[in-house]
């Protein structure tokens, strides 16, 4: 299978030069039910599509006659340097796209010098992911489990394995209404073993293919419990409003990922880039703000940074790269975005990430 993938994806007549090229190739490569699971949104998929369209409503204001002979894309997140403000969002079930799954993704992130957020619903164990990319910068994304002891064990296991932040997803008290998956009768319980959500004894026994529930009772006052059991900085993923951003500051979290879950949860909410300014304004620089949702080009990255994001996290395009060429495909997706960002910075007169400011963008009158 892997040899066939390489044959299909390589060669000058099949060159993949932008993220939408990878999208088209991945769609050819994957089964319909897998493609629908990766690509699908909630309900009418309005927000999924608006995440992308919203970036195209923003115009750039380039500045010229600046010495752009040297352009530096490096930045930091939570005090750790990354080669560019382009990182990998948490997504489950990478083995659907490529046999080595998250291990390939982790190796690509390590090679690129960027952060990879590993999902609770990874199809490889945390230990195997760390072994595959021992020096990579990793954060751990948590879906809070009804069993608090299991939740505590997961967090402390991630911390002991060298994950550098805890990303708590807040926008999934229940799973959104994903029509494609319902139509396809997609049952990941029968396809994959969630090894990280089982006891060590269960991991060594016959797979009991089950997805665990997510705790819908989690609330703001529970954050103090998480802070009591880990030294890791806590990032909240899924914040879209100034009210919740202010509460995040009040509860002493270290970061926010502005996100609507790729349009997979509540449809008809704001596109991530449209919600970003409200959140950035609300936190007043007291914590770092990141963004995911709709990033497809280097210009998109530039626009997000200009509106106050410290970095962006990329979702579906990573799985497209993985489906095409495994680790190499993910590296290529990241390299394309990094090169496009470098070009965008050069052509707008930004020599460093620090020079990407709000006066670079404008919203045309409708």
């Amino acid at each position: 299978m892997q040899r066939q993938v390489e044959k299909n994806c390589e060669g000058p007549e099949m060159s993949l030069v932008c993220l939408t090229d990878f999208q088209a190739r991945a769609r050819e490569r994957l089964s319909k039910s897998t493609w629908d699971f990766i690509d699908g949104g909630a309900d009418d998929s309005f927000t999924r599509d608006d995440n992308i369209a919203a970036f195209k409503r923003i115009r750039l204001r380039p500045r010229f006659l600046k010495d752009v002979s040297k352009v530096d894309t490096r930045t930091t997140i939570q005090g750790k340097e990354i080669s560019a403000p382009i990182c990998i969002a948490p997504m489950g079930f990478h083995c659907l796209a490529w046999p080595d799954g998250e291990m390939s993704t982790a190796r690509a992130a390590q090679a690129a010098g960027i952060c990879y957020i590993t999902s609770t619903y990874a199809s490889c164990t945390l230990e195997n992911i760390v072994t595959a990319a021992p020096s990579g910068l990793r954060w751990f994304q948590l879906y809070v489990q009804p069993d608090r002891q299991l939740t505590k064990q997961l967090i402390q296991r991630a911390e002991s394995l060298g994950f550098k932040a805890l990303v708590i997803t807040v926008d999934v008290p229940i799973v959104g209404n994903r029509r494609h998956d319902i139509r396809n009768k997609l049952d990941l319980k029968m396809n994959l073993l969630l090894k990280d959500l089982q006891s060590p004894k269960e991991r060594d026994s016959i797979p009991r293919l089950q997805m665990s529930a997510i705790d819908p009772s989690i609330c703001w006052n529970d954050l103090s419990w998480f802070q009591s059991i880990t030294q890791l900085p806590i990032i909240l993923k899924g914040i879209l409003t100034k009210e919740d951003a202010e509460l995040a500051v009040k509860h002493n979290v270290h970061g926010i990922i502005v996100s609507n879950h790729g349009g997979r949860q509540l449809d008809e909410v704001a596109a991530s880039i449209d919600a970003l300014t409200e959140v950035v304004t609300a936190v007043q620089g007291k914590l770092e703000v990141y963004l995911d949702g709709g990033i497809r080009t280097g210009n998109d990255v530039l626009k997000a940074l200009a509106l106050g994001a410290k970095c962006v996290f990329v979702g579906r395009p990573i799985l497209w790269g993985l489906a095409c060429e495994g680790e190499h495909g993910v590296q290529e997706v990241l390299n394309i975005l990094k090169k496009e960002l470098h070009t965008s910075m050069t052509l707008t007169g930004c020599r460093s990430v620090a020079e990407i400011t709000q006066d670079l963008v404008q919203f045309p009158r409708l």
Side-chain angles (χ1 to χ4, degrees):
M1 176 64 80
Q2 290 188 34
R3 190 171 297 162
Q4 184 66 33
V5 170
E6 288 168 6
K7 181 180 176 184
N8 287 344
C9 284
E10 290 181 353
E13 76 284 356
M14 307 289 278
S15 59
L16 304 168
V17 300
C18 62
L19 268 56
T20 51
D21 287 348
F22 277 92
Q23 180 180 22
R25 183 65 49 76
R27 187 168 195 165
E28 294 171 3
R29 258 296 270 115
L30 297 169
S31 70
K32 182 182 184 301
S33 63
T34 296
W35 175 259
D36 286 349
F37 171 69
I38 291 170
D39 188 61
D43 294 318
D44 292 326
S45 296
F46 173 82
T47 295
R48 178 200 65 182
D49 297 340
D50 198 41
N51 273 344
I52 297 167
F55 276 102
K56 306 310 175 195
R57 295 193 286 265
I58 302 170
R59 298 290 174 267
L60 295 171
R61 302 180 65 250
R63 299 297 305 278
F64 299 116
L65 295 177
K66 298 174 81 171
D67 179 0
V68 286
S69 56
K70 293 180 181 177
V71 171
D72 187 356
T73 62
R74 289 176 299 170
T75 188
T76 62
I77 51 173
Q78 298 300 318
K80 306 291 184 184
E81 185 175 289
I82 49 178
S83 66
I86 301 163
C87 298
I88 299 179
M91 297 165 287
F93 311 114
H94 289 206
C95 283
L96 285 172
W98 190 259
D100 281 345
E102 289 83 2
M103 292 187 288
S104 290
T105 306
R107 284 191 287 261
Q110 177 179 269
I114 54 94
C115 179
Y116 160 42
I117 307 180
T118 303
S119 172
T120 296
Y121 290 156
S123 44
C124 303
T125 65
L126 298 182
E127 288 79 4
N128 285 345
I129 292 166
V130 171
T131 299
S135 63
L137 176 60
R138 291 173 305 277
W139 293 357
F140 177 67
Q141 176 271 336
L142 176 72
Y143 284 120
V144 180
Q145 307 297 300
D147 180 342
R148 282 297 168 91
Q149 192 58 32
L150 175 57
T151 297
K152 182 178 180 181
Q153 287 171 358
L154 260 178
I155 293 168
Q156 294 181 341
R157 198 167 129 218
E159 185 169 5
S160 70
L161 285 167
F163 287 76
K164 298 301 183 187
L166 176 65
V167 179
I168 301 176
T169 295
V170 301
D171 60 359
V172 189
I174 58 170
V175 174
N177 185 37
R178 302 173 191 175
R179 294 173 184 167
H180 290 300
D181 295 346
I182 297 167
R183 289 191 188 105
N184 292 330
K185 297 182 171 62
L186 186 73
D187 190 356
L188 290 169
K189 301 173 195 174
M190 302 308 295
N191 290 321
L192 290 161
L193 170 60
L194 294 169
K195 295 172 183 168
D196 286 324
L197 295 177
Q198 297 183 343
S199 68
K201 185 176 180 182
E202 286 174 325
R203 269 181 254 144
D204 295 332
S205 63
I206 296 169
R208 289 198 311 171
L209 304 159
Q210 63 177 24
M211 274 181 68
S212 64
I214 298 168
D215 186 355
S217 72
I218 185 78
C219 63
W220 287 102
N221 289 337
D222 291 310
L223 290 176
S224 59
W225 178 76
F226 292 101
Q227 289 160 339
S228 76
I229 64 167
T230 182
Q231 296 296 308
L232 295 176
I234 292 176
I235 317 292
L236 299 185
K237 178 179 179 289
I239 300 294
L240 290 170
T241 63
K242 65 179 181 181
E243 292 87 352
D244 280 346
E246 288 166 355
L247 283 166
V249 172
K250 180 180 175 183
H251 285 84
N252 299 310
V253 304
H254 290 78
I256 286 171
I257 302 178
V258 175
S259 170
N260 52 42
H261 217 99
R264 294 162 74 83
Q265 280 300 105
L266 179 63
D267 201 18
E268 300 175 34
V269 299
S272 296
I273 191 65
D274 288 341
L276 178 61
T277 300
E278 177 177 330
V279 172
V280 168
T281 301
V283 304
Q284 299 178 328
K286 293 173 183 172
L287 49 76
E288 292 185 351
V289 178
Y290 319 108
L291 173 140
D292 75 18
I295 298 290
R296 299 293 181 268
T297 67
N299 274 354
D300 295 341
V301 180
L302 187 80
K303 290 171 183 178
L305 267 60
L307 291 172
K310 188 80 163 109
C311 85
V312 302
F313 289 90
V314 181
R316 290 180 180 92
I318 297 299
L319 295 180
W320 302 340
L322 195 63
C324 283
E325 298 183 72
E327 175 188 344
H328 178 68
V330 176
Q331 278 191 28
E332 272 302 295
V333 165
L334 292 169
N335 283 338
I336 287 168
L337 278 176
K338 287 164 77 170
K339 287 176 185 173
E340 288 181 353
L341 174 63
H342 191 279
T343 298
S344 299
M345 289 173 65
T346 305
L347 292 175
T348 52
C350 298
R351 292 160 292 195
S352 69
V353 168
E355 293 187 1
I356 303 174
T357 55
Q358 193 165 357
D359 58 4
L360 282 178
V361 294
Q362 66 182 23
F363 296 84
R365 292 191 182 94
L366 296 178

